[in-house]
Amino acid sequence: GAGVSQTPSNKVTEKGKYVELRCDPISGHTALYWYRQSLGQGPEFLIYFQGTGAADDSGLPNDRFFAVRPEGSVSTLKIQRTERGDSAVYLCASSSYIHNEQFFGPGTRLTVL
Amino acid sequence: DAKTTQPNSMESNEEEPVHLPCNHSTISGTDYIHWYRQLPSQGPEYVIHGLTSNVNNRMASLAIAEDRKSSTLILHRATLRDAAVYYCILPEGGSEKLVFGKGTKLTVNP
């Protein structure tokens, strides 16, 4: 079966621009997570959805970051007024129920020039 | 999350067993011990998890100390494809987020 997919795989943008990153979870998975990973570091939690609602958004660094999951499946991470420090690999994961393994996508590499 | 301590790096030879240690001295009674690994240029991949008893699956074994303050991920026969960063993670009970440290970078020599 299909795994978690993320688009685009690479995104280059200029400082100050708006970007959207998309995540397609595994079909039927109710939980969806966003992480970001800077070079040489482990992934850092951003936000977690259970169904359509954000159950934990404590990892979003500031109000420039926002994520939605309107129908409980696909999710979009939105970053406004991008900064060079936002450059990282953004990872999405999904899982089927609490305490089960998280399945990760390949990530979107965001570069802010 | 309960903090974990792992060596920065380890080396192994192909087809030999590998024991990856993790210390988690502040673990609580309800904390599961999860292991993920990340191959180069890929997203993390679940390896195994356990609570108190030792666990085995097709990828690895997890040996948990009796006091649960440490655990060891065991790869029975390392292959070149096992070269990755291995993360030991203890999500708090009721928390779904994974808090990754820097993990252990495993190098497998042919």
Side-chain angles (χ1 to χ4, degrees):
Chain A
V4 177
S5 63
Q6 294 185 244
T7 54
S9 56
N10 280 284
K11 176 70 177 179
V12 180
T13 191
E14 293 179 344
K15 181 176 178 295
K17 299 290 188 181
Y18 168 83
V19 296
E20 290 189 352
L21 311 179
R22 176 187 169 108
C23 173
D24 282 80
I26 292 173
S27 178
H29 279 191
T30 57
L32 185 145
Y33 313 79
W34 283 99
Y35 297 82
R36 73 175 175 180
Q37 186 170 26
S38 301
L39 194 63
Q41 305 295 317
E44 171 193 20
F45 170 80
L46 296 177
I47 187 170
Y48 151 61
F49 287 90
Q50 184 60 252
T52 61
D56 183 350
D57 64 357
S58 61
L60 294 178
N62 51 59
D63 61 6
R64 295 187 298 105
F65 288 75
F66 190 71
V68 295
R69 195 186 185 199
E71 298 179 356
S73 178
V74 171
S75 176
T76 305
L77 178 65
K78 308 180 181 191
I79 310 174
Q80 298 178 322
R81 305 182 304 280
T82 52
E83 299 178 356
R84 292 193 180 89
D86 298 334
S87 296
V89 175
Y90 288 80
L91 295 160
C92 176
S94 68
S95 67
S96 61
Y97 53 85
I98 291 176
H99 296 315
N100 203 1
E101 61 182 281
Q102 295 184 20
F103 293 84
F104 283 80
T108 294
R109 180 175 299 277
L110 175 66
T111 303
V112 182
L113 301 176
Chain B
D1 287 355
K3 292 190 175 180
T4 62
T5 304
Q6 298 178 255
N8 290 332
S9 61
M10 291 184 67
E11 275 195 52
S12 173
N13 294 322
E14 203 174 5
E15 298 191 3
E16 290 185 354
V18 181
H19 290 231
L20 297 163
C22 180
N23 288 320
H24 29 78
S25 58
T26 60
I27 192 171
S28 74
T30 58
D31 287 340
Y32 279 78
I33 302 159
H34 292 245
W35 284 81
Y36 281 74
R37 72 180 185 180
Q38 189 170 22
L39 279 64
S41 302
Q42 295 188 26
E45 172 188 32
Y46 168 84
V47 178
I48 200 166
H49 76 282
L51 184 61
T52 56
S53 303
N54 294 345
V55 184
N56 300 292
N57 65 21
R58 63 177 178 81
M59 289 181 68
S61 295
L62 177 60
I64 302 172
E66 195 169 338
D67 63 6
R68 300 207 331 119
K69 294 185 176 182
S70 66
S71 61
T72 302
L73 180 71
I74 302 167
L75 307 179
H76 296 285
R77 289 183 65 194
T79 69
L80 297 178
R81 289 174 296 177
D82 291 322
V85 178
Y86 286 78
Y87 298 97
C88 169
I89 301 167
L90 276 64
E92 290 179 350
S95 170
E96 302 313 310
K97 64 186 181 185
L98 300 176
V99 179
F100 292 80
K102 290 195 172 182
T104 296
K105 182 175 182 178
L106 175 66
T107 300
V108 180
N109 300 313

